Amino acid sequence: MTLWNGSYPFYPGANACFPFDTTRAVIVTVFLSMLATFIIILPGIPARRRLLWFLRLVLGLFMGAVILNVQFTRDWESGWVQANTSYKSFSPVQVSADIGLHIGLAGLNVTLRGNPVEQINETINYNEHFPWSFGADYEHSYSQGLQKGLPSPILYVAEKFSSQSPCGVHGQYRIAGHYVSLTLWLAFCTWLISILLFSMSILLYGGQMLLLTGALILSSLLLFSTARSSLGCPIQFGPVSLRTAYGESFWLALATGLLCLLLGLAILILNSVQPQKLKLIFSLDKSSEEEQWEQSWLPAQPSCSAQGGFMVPLGELCPGTATRL
């Protein structure tokens, strides 16, 4: 039996990993609540317009939810590797673990998960966040990790992105994340303006705002790609290296940006070529209804039988002989 029951006395236990991101959960809940509210009033819409109205609603809420959600996600760039590595500093003990790196706009997360989780009388399941957004101190977070005695793989990965690292990627990721976030907030504002313009039946300007929204989203992806291309330092764990690729948030934002571009171009083209079809898609083609409304208020036309009988015009009356009294 070893000292302190086989555990290291100066290191805390593993941090408990929260099962989901609370910010993402709040955003998804708000947009799902809005969708459920509109679904409740769906039966009150005429049957011919119901499907198109529901499709416009789902697409609009989806684009807004994605633009707002990817602001706070931490998987714009991610990678995993399985390696046998040292667990604690000043100890020859090695563990088999899955090491993950997840890069977001405001910082990075380093995940260390034992394979199996229970090893050397400990639960190896860490998920540490190191922020680099403006107003956050990355070096202070890294120093706190050193003081807490985090596992060596986490500190090794976090050190690669510090400002003192020879890799020199801290400034690129920090500045790129700041401008990507600013561009996405602009895209969210233009999305709100497009929704407002569509609700006011101003389709041309709504399509232009939607086109601008797609252009802003794609510009943010281009800004993030410039920071990723500068990562030239390998993250090596023995014979294997940790390599990263674009994550779910990047591809989701790319799909949303392309969707906004396609819908905006389609609206502009239909507005110039087939404006009646565009009005029909947005349930604005009321010409047939107006004609029916006007016909219901017009006086009834006299029938042919009435014209031949009692409703003969005065000019067609046969001249008769007047009898003098």
Side-chain angles (χ1 to χ4, degrees):
M1 183 174 181
T2 58
L3 190 62
W4 286 284
N5 198 20
S7 63
Y8 300 97
F10 303 108
Y11 299 114
N15 290 343
C17 295
F18 204 67
F20 55 85
D21 188 0
T22 54
T23 305
R24 181 186 297 186
V26 169
I27 294 173
V28 172
T29 302
V30 169
F31 278 88
L32 286 180
S33 301
M34 296 172 61
L35 179 61
T37 303
F38 285 111
I39 289 177
I40 293 175
I41 65 174
L42 189 62
I45 299 175
R48 290 182 299 177
R49 305 178 184 175
R50 192 174 300 166
L51 180 60
L52 290 175
W53 186 86
F54 182 74
L55 184 61
R56 295 197 310 268
L57 172 66
V58 171
L59 287 176
L61 291 179
F62 172 78
M63 291 184 290
V66 170
I67 296 171
L68 190 60
N69 195 24
V70 295
Q71 288 271 8
F72 307 99
T73 53
R74 298 172 183 175
D75 55 353
W76 279 73
E77 184 179 348
S78 60
W80 285 91
V81 68
Q82 184 177 359
N84 294 323
T85 178
S86 61
Y87 182 52
K88 297 290 187 181
S89 301
F90 311 108
S91 174
V93 178
Q94 289 195 346
V95 296
S96 176
D98 296 325
I99 306 166
L101 173 61
H102 313 280
I103 301 177
L105 302 181
L108 61 88
N109 274 56
V110 184
T111 304
L112 179 66
R113 187 179 305 152
N115 189 15
V117 178
E118 298 290 339
Q119 296 184 51
I120 59 172
N121 296 328
E122 287 192 26
T123 300
I124 304 175
N125 192 11
Y126 287 83
N127 186 16
E128 296 293 330
H129 180 62
F130 299 91
W132 58 42
S133 60
F134 290 154
D137 191 351
Y138 187 92
E139 303 301 326
H140 179 67
S141 299
Y142 179 72
S143 300
Q144 284 185 334
L146 287 173
Q147 294 174 5
K148 290 190 300 182
L150 292 178
S152 297
I154 295 179
L155 296 175
Y156 170 68
V157 175
E159 185 183 6
K160 291 287 186 178
F161 292 86
S162 65
S163 59
Q164 305 298 327
S165 173
C167 298
V169 296
H170 177 81
Q172 287 87 338
Y173 271 101
R174 185 184 185 189
I175 295 174
H178 175 72
Y179 284 106
V180 168
S181 179
L182 179 62
T183 307
L184 287 176
W185 279 119
L186 290 176
F188 185 73
C189 293
T190 55
W191 170 80
L192 285 177
I193 295 174
S194 68
I195 294 297
L196 179 62
L197 292 173
F198 286 140
S199 64
M200 298 172 60
S201 303
I202 308 176
L203 305 182
L204 178 60
Y205 294 114
Q208 292 175 352
M209 284 292 107
L210 200 58
L211 195 64
L212 180 58
T213 302
L216 288 173
I217 296 175
L218 296 181
S219 299
S220 67
L221 300 180
L222 183 61
L223 288 173
F224 186 80
S225 299
T226 57
R228 183 182 181 275
S229 62
S230 63
L231 182 58
C233 252
I235 304 175
Q236 199 76 22
F237 293 95
V240 295
S241 60
L242 176 59
R243 301 183 183 276
T244 59
Y246 291 121
E248 296 178 0
S249 296
F250 182 90
W251 296 115
L252 189 60
L254 177 61
T256 306
L258 293 177
L259 179 63
C260 291
L261 279 180
L262 291 177
L263 291 179
L265 286 174
I267 290 173
L268 295 181
I269 292 173
L270 284 177
N271 184 77
S272 59
V273 177
Q274 295 288 341
Q276 295 301 324
K277 289 186 178 181
L278 182 61
K279 292 180 180 179
L280 181 62
I281 294 174
F282 283 87
S283 303
L284 299 177
D285 190 11
K286 302 180 180 179
S287 58
S288 59
E289 297 180 1
E290 292 176 356
E291 290 177 0
Q292 293 178 0
W293 178 264
E294 291 176 357
Q295 289 178 3
S296 63
W297 285 95
L298 287 176
Q301 296 293 334
S303 61
C304 296
S305 59
Q307 290 182 2
F310 299 100
M311 301 296 294
V312 178
L314 294 177
E316 297 181 3
L317 290 177
C318 297
T321 57
T323 304
R324 295 180 179 272
L325 295 177

